[in-house]
Amino acid sequence: MESLSFRSGLVVGEWEMTATHATQIIDGYLKRLDSELSSIPTARRKELAAQIAEHIAQARQELPEETDADLLTILDRVGEPDEIAAEARASLDITTAKPGPLEIFALLLIGVGGVIFPVLPVAWVLGTGLVWRSRSWTPREKYFGAYLPLVLGLAILAISALASVIFGQHLLLDAALLGFLIANLLMPLGTASYLGARLGRRLPILAWAAIAIVALSVYLPAAAAFIPARASAFIGTPFGESGITQAGQPRCAGFYGSVRYANGLPIAATAPVSVGICWDGNTVTKSWGPDCYPSYGPALRVAVQSCTVESLPDGSMIISIQSSATATTAPFFTQSGGMGWLITPDGLITQL
């Protein structure tokens, strides 16, 4: 659709009447008007936009001294772009249904479906089907915002899958993964953003809030799965005692290690390992454990695959844990991590 362009400055006599933010205020208003009039036939749209621009220019010319407040007052008298567009559609008998649950589900399926089902674009296809049934988008918006991106995305997925099967080389596999990322995650997100922008304020604020909550609950855990895990460990000794000992002076305490996923975020989850150890300067022995009970919340689900203690010939001990964290709302997004610590006979810890 051809976009309209306007000039916000107005020359009167030999001087230009321009408030401090005239360009930003007027151009922003006219661009919103152009967007709201997108479903109006081009000829009528240009005519209506030109009439409004002329009306604004005449009102500005009558001002003795133009200020930002004066411009806002003029635009308030002209009316909101969505109200002007609604009147124009009514006069031309162009019906655009008020968006409701169908449109909300369509945006969610297209926007977050690729995260929940990243292998096949099932949600994208279902969401596009809902867009086809909706009367809240114009045929042109459906074509450019839903149908065309879906066809291009499916083509990219097919080419990427074919290339990975035929060639299977490392570089081509990376290219295939990039194709999957673009076609099954980024393109649907762009489609949902475009279709949502076309609905604009026709969709109630509570509906937008619900969409934002669902999107965050899906995207944040999935993104957290890419944050590198952080490991830490310490030996808890009785208060006031040193963990370092001389030969022949045994000490017993608890070793406490952890692998923390999405560290620093409220949705962080932990895979801990605790072992009772004793050391005397010559050897390290186990008195209890290992205990590995994951701690996680609603965003990340932690699983412990292995938790082991190994004694070495030199008297040292290796404590290791193998774990993984999976996004609760996006089960295909998983991060695995293995971590180990070396405990010397002197009671010192070295992360492996």
Side-chain angles (χ1 to χ4, degrees):
M1 178 177 293
E2 182 184 357
S3 179
L4 304 179
S5 60
F6 310 93
R7 289 189 59 194
S8 59
L10 176 64
V11 176
V12 179
E14 296 184 355
W15 60 284
E16 184 177 4
M17 294 173 54
T18 304
T20 305
H21 304 97
T23 300
Q24 180 180 358
I25 294 172
I26 302 299
D27 283 357
Y29 177 87
L30 294 177
K31 287 178 181 178
R32 285 195 295 125
L33 177 65
D34 185 30
S35 176
E36 293 291 344
L37 294 175
S38 60
S39 60
I40 307 297
T42 303
R44 175 56 181 157
R45 183 167 60 93
K46 288 184 175 181
E47 179 185 359
L48 182 60
Q51 291 174 355
I52 293 176
E54 182 180 359
H55 177 77
I56 294 174
Q58 291 176 352
R60 294 178 68 186
Q61 188 175 0
E62 295 172 359
L63 295 174
E65 183 178 352
E66 183 178 271
T67 65
D68 290 347
D70 293 330
L71 293 181
L72 294 174
T73 301
I74 291 173
L75 297 182
D76 185 61
R77 290 202 303 264
V78 173
E80 289 294 328
D82 57 342
E83 297 174 354
I84 296 173
E87 292 179 4
R89 285 192 295 267
S91 65
L92 296 174
D93 198 24
I94 300 176
T95 58
T96 303
K98 184 178 181 180
L102 186 143
E103 287 72 28
I104 294 174
F105 281 117
L107 292 177
L108 289 176
L109 282 172
I110 296 174
V112 304
V115 179
I116 301 176
F117 305 104
V119 179
L120 296 175
V122 177
W124 192 2
V125 173
L126 293 176
T128 302
L130 295 181
V131 172
W132 173 72
R133 292 181 57 88
S134 172
R135 297 182 57 192
S136 296
W137 289 289
T138 65
R140 188 177 183 86
E141 291 170 348
K142 292 180 181 181
Y143 176 80
F144 287 105
Y147 307 153
L148 183 60
L150 177 60
V151 172
L152 293 176
L154 292 176
I156 294 175
L157 285 174
I159 294 173
S160 300
L162 186 63
S164 62
V165 170
I166 294 177
F167 300 100
Q169 298 167 354
H170 181 70
L171 181 60
L172 290 175
L173 283 176
D174 290 342
L177 290 176
L178 179 61
F180 276 102
L181 175 65
I182 294 174
N184 212 20
L185 292 176
L186 299 183
M187 288 185 67
L189 182 59
T191 292
S193 300
Y194 172 82
L195 294 173
R198 306 317 297 176
L199 294 180
R201 291 194 295 177
R202 288 185 290 152
L203 198 63
I205 186 65
L206 291 179
W208 281 120
I211 291 174
I213 291 173
V214 173
L216 289 175
S217 67
V218 173
Y219 273 97
L220 282 181
F226 290 96
I227 300 176
R230 180 179 178 181
S232 60
F234 68 94
I235 294 177
T237 58
F239 179 76
E241 295 186 14
S242 172
I244 303 177
T245 185
Q246 302 295 326
Q249 299 180 356
R251 291 283 189 277
C252 290
F255 168 88
Y256 302 95
S258 65
V259 179
R260 192 166 177 82
Y261 296 93
N263 184 59
L265 297 180
I267 60 175
T270 305
V273 53
S274 55
V275 183
I277 58 174
C278 295
W279 66 99
D280 58 7
N282 295 313
T283 185
V284 182
T285 58
K286 181 184 73 171
S287 59
W288 53 266
D291 296 333
C292 301
Y293 304 109
S295 171
Y296 52 89
L300 293 174
R301 185 175 65 255
V302 176
V304 176
Q305 285 76 40
S306 64
C307 184
T308 60
V309 175
E310 178 185 2
S311 297
L312 301 181
D314 64 356
S316 300
M317 175 181 291
I318 292 180
I319 301 174
S320 60
I321 181 173
Q322 182 71 35
S323 61
S324 62
T326 302
T328 305
T329 53
F332 284 90
F333 290 80
T334 300
Q335 179 186 170
S336 298
M339 188 57 59
W341 298 270
L342 174 68
I343 314 298
T344 66
D346 295 329
L348 300 178
I349 303 174
T350 300
Q351 184 173 307
L352 302 178

